[in-house]
Amino acid sequence: MCPDCEDFARTVLLLGQLALYADMVGADLDFVDVVSPSLAVSLPEPPPGTFPDDSAPAEDS
């Protein structure tokens, strides 16, 4: 697996696990609020071939 692919997959996995944790009873939502934006910002560009060629990312106008 290419280094960027591994980083992307690991970060997506962590975001998913954090989302599951946030839904648990007794979850520390302050922790979730602090960590989730940091993980999202650290998400690298998706590796080539992650999305179909005909899908274009939404661009801000």
Side-chain angles (χ1 to χ4, degrees):
M1 184 179 283
C2 67
D4 290 338
C5 298
E6 187 176 333
D7 288 345
F8 183 79
R10 184 182 307 117
T11 305
V12 170
L13 176 66
L14 287 171
L15 283 166
Q17 289 175 331
L18 187 61
L20 291 173
Y21 170 73
D23 286 338
M24 292 176 57
V25 174
D28 183 350
L29 297 181
D30 289 334
F31 172 79
V32 173
D33 288 342
V34 169
V35 173
S36 56
S38 299
L39 275 175
V41 167
S42 73
L43 192 63
E45 287 291 321
T50 302
F51 301 107
D53 290 337
D54 61 345
S55 67
E59 293 187 20
D60 294 332
S61 303

